[in-house]
Amino acid sequence: QIGQFAFQDCEKVEKAALPSTVSSIGQHAFYNCGSLQEMQIPEGVVQIDSRLFSGCTNLKSVKLPDSITSISYDAFRYCSNLTELVLPAKLKEIGSNAFSGCKSLTKLDIPKTVTSIGSGAFSGCSALTSVNIPKGLVRINSDTFSNCSGLIEVVIPNGVLSIEPSAFSGCSGLESVSIPDSVTSIGWDAFRDCSGLTNVTIPNSVTSIGSSAFENCTSLTSIKIPDSVTSIGAGAFSGCTVLTGATILG
């Protein structure tokens, strides 16, 4: 095994070849290795531990084995040159802020086995243009995709019950979002500053829309609020400057 903090702050390390006998790598093991460019994790390792590669600003390529089932919080945070990553087919969970600040990441296929994605997991991934959200999720956690300004379209799968606060806030390139009829609540700031959003359908299952949920959605022209909604928070549609029609059915 490789212990925690083993190579932390080794700023001149460009490449690390790990033997196949390595079965675990401790947290922070390569934290802030600013010159590290590529890494291959051996088969048998089941977890990418917390902050393992956080701050590796020159990391461009990481090969993950099929044995990985968990990517912990902050694992790849601020890996600003990471452009592409293939997530293993058996992956079950992605921790909070796991890929936050990976601003060069353009594409990510999340396996259907994933049932948990932590808060802020992909926040600030500004080059990400598309993402598939797996069907096993029951909520889109807070800040999960906040400030993903390159994201154009999002399809939220049936089975998701809530869109948590700031889940998609600052996604200025987002034009369309599909909300399934399993969703019951849209949290505060959920789509705030999604200035490119032109179309959104709120299903009959939604009972609450949080404060500033759609604030500053400056391209939104109309909205239909179903009679299932019993609560609309302060400023929910504030700053929607081209909104010409709002139909409240309740």
Side-chain angles (χ1 to χ4, degrees), residues 15 52 74 86 101 135-136 139 170 181 205 220:
K15 185 178 180 180
L52 184 56
D74 290 3
V86 177
K135 294 181 178 180
R139 67 180 59 86
D181 58 11
S205 55
L220 194 63

Side-chain angles (χ1 to χ4, degrees), residues 73-242:
Y73 70 89
D74 290 3
F76 294 94
R77 192 172 192 178
Y78 302 133
C79 291
S80 53
N81 274 300
L82 188 65
T83 57
E84 191 173 353
L85 186 68
V86 177
L87 298 179
K90 297 178 182 178
L91 188 66
K92 295 179 180 178
E93 62 177 334
I94 298 172
S96 299
N97 297 306
F99 296 94
S100 178
C102 293
K103 61 183 181 180
S104 298
L105 195 63
T106 57
K107 182 182 178 183
L108 198 64
D109 289 325
I110 303 174
K112 60 183 179 181
T113 52
V114 171
T115 57
S116 174
I117 298 178
S119 301
F122 302 100
S123 62
C125 293
S126 53
L128 197 64
T129 57
S130 65
V131 65
N132 62 302
I133 300 175
K135 294 181 178 180
L137 295 184
V138 295
R139 67 180 59 86
I140 309 296
N141 274 318
S142 58
D143 289 291
T144 298
F145 298 100
S146 64
N147 296 312
C148 290
S149 54
L151 204 59
I152 297 171
E153 182 181 5
V154 168
V155 177
I156 298 171
N158 197 39
V160 170
L161 301 177
S162 63
I163 300 171
E164 297 294 309
S166 300
F168 296 96
S169 65
C171 293
S172 55
L174 188 64
E175 297 175 359
S176 175
V177 60
S178 176
I179 302 175
D181 58 11
S182 58
V183 170
T184 60
S185 66
I186 299 173
W188 50 265
D189 287 4
F191 296 95
R192 185 175 183 171
D193 297 325
C194 291
S195 55
L197 189 63
T198 59
N199 179 40
V200 61
T201 300
I202 298 176
N204 291 324
S205 55
V206 171
T207 59
S208 65
I209 300 172
S211 301
S212 301
F214 294 91
E215 183 174 343
N216 296 330
C217 290
T218 53
S219 297
L220 194 63
T221 57
S222 66
I223 191 79
K224 183 180 286 187
I225 300 171
D227 57 9
S228 58
V229 173
T230 58
S231 173
I232 299 175
F237 299 95
S238 174
C240 295
T241 52
V242 298

